[in-house]
Amino acid sequence: MKDDAYKTLNVLGCVPGLLNVLFELAHEAQRIRRFNILLNVPVEIALENAGLDEWDVAKIHVYECEDGVPENGLFAFSVVGVKSKEIVYNYFNERFGLHKSQFLNLIHPTAYVSRSADLDYGLQVEPLSLVSSRTTLGFGVTIKRGCNVGHHCCIGRFVTLNPGVTVCGYVTVGDQTMIGAGAVVRDGVKIGCHTVIGAGSVVVDDIPDHVVAFGNPCRPQKVIKIH
Ligand SMILES: CC(C)(COP(=O)(O)OP(=O)(O)OC[C@H]1O[C@@H](n2cnc3c(N)ncnc32)[C@H](O)[C@@H]1OP(=O)(O)O)[C@@H](O)C(=O)NCCC(=O)NCCS
């Protein structure tokens, strides 16, 4: 498609650190230079919470989505946190019928994703990351720079792998789980949903749902309460 639709990306949420990376990724992966930022909260709250005034907002159209979202637009996430992506997606999906197929896969040209990998929508794969054969990436997965994801893994919806994570083969990571920078997950391990794995952890045994776990060997340290 050569019209302008391809050149404007509608970004849900506005976490400044992530926006910066996302703009660069979108440009290098898809040559996108223009961005709308769509908020599910009033602009003032977003400004206060996310420090949006640090940004050169003159170049970016920021608005609350009272009247809807652009039709046939392309979308991406700029939110962080174990639950945030799903909350933001559900808001736009329920209110405006935004479908996951409208979310672009942003895969940096220096990343390698196997042709046999099974990819959902809304993926962000940052520079120098690898995704090996027969691995499944669920909707809204973010793989930050320098990660290595082995073969036959199953990475659930809205999972975030922070920089330098190594996931060996046949690993399962549940929905909305976050794995901290530099962690290593041994082959065959199953990590639950809504769980946080601390930076630098070495995960050699299965980890349940809804816990914060860290260390070498990685062990659950506390429970994440569900509201
Ligand atoms: C695991 C994590 C979520 C825990 O955060 P927290 O609940 O705020 O924990 P605290 O910082 O209060 O630390 C509590 C204790 O756990 C220890 N601890 C925290 N994270 C640890 C880790 N990753 N490995 C080993 N020990 C850790 C602390 O040293 C502290 O020990 P102490 O009680 O003996 O002093 C966090 O430390 C972490 O690793 N986050 C991931 C960071 C990351 O990857 N960011 C991405 C950047 S791009």
Side-chain angles (χ1 to χ4, degrees):
M1 201 190 291
K2 49 188 178 200
D3 62 60
D4 271 2
Y6 249 111
K7 296 188 185 123
T8 300
L9 185 64
N10 300 294
V11 179
L12 305 191
C14 64
V15 177
L18 291 187
L19 274 182
N20 199 357
V21 174
L22 177 64
F23 291 166
E24 215 175 287
L25 181 61
H27 182 239
E28 287 173 25
Q30 299 274 349
R31 302 241 150 256
I32 292 168
R33 287 169 186 269
R34 293 212 313 264
F35 302 90
N36 292 329
I37 296 183
L38 314 188
L39 302 175
N40 59 334
V41 292
V43 171
E44 308 78 59
I45 293 179
L47 286 173
E48 201 180 313
N49 288 349
L52 196 67
D53 53 344
E54 290 168 20
W55 289 85
D56 183 5
V57 288
K59 289 187 196 148
I60 307 164
H61 182 202
V62 183
Y63 60 96
E64 297 158 32
C65 295
E66 280 303 316
D67 303 323
V69 295
E71 276 178 34
N72 305 318
L74 300 169
F75 293 83
F77 291 103
S78 176
V79 287
V80 74
V82 177
K83 295 186 200 147
S84 318
K85 276 191 220 168
E86 182 153 52
I87 291 170
V88 167
Y89 173 68
N90 286 346
Y91 172 90
F92 285 95
N93 174 256
E94 284 159 20
R95 199 140 177 213
F96 307 115
L98 186 58
H99 188 260
K100 66 177 189 169
S101 61
Q102 289 172 266
F103 283 76
L104 204 52
N105 284 346
L106 297 172
I107 298 173
H108 193 272
T110 65
Y112 172 77
V113 177
S114 166
R115 279 190 207 161
S116 67
D118 183 0
L119 309 182
D120 208 320
Y121 297 100
L123 308 175
Q124 292 173 26
V125 184
E126 291 188 7
L128 301 173
S129 281
L130 310 173
V131 177
S132 193
S133 48
R134 311 266 170 207
T135 277
T136 301
L137 301 181
F139 175 53
V141 165
T142 299
I143 299 180
K144 302 193 75 72
R145 58 197 180 276
C147 292
N148 194 338
V149 182
H151 58 92
H152 297 88
C153 291
C154 186
I155 311 293
R157 285 160 59 94
F158 303 116
V159 164
T160 297
L161 305 184
N162 277 304
V165 165
T166 298
V167 175
C168 299
Y170 293 101
V171 164
T172 300
V173 181
D175 294 349
Q176 298 190 48
T177 281
M178 194 277 281
I179 303 190
V184 177
V185 184
R186 190 168 80 177
D187 39 301
V189 160
K190 290 186 173 51
I191 299 176
C193 302
H194 305 88
T195 274
V196 175
I197 304 294
S201 296
V202 179
V203 189
V204 292
D205 295 311
D206 293 355
I207 302 289
D209 298 342
H210 298 285
V211 295
V212 176
F214 54 76
N216 178 7
C218 183
R219 299 277 182 248
Q221 308 288 336
K222 58 185 174 191
V223 170
I224 298 176
K225 289 193 183 118
I226 318 158
H227 300 291

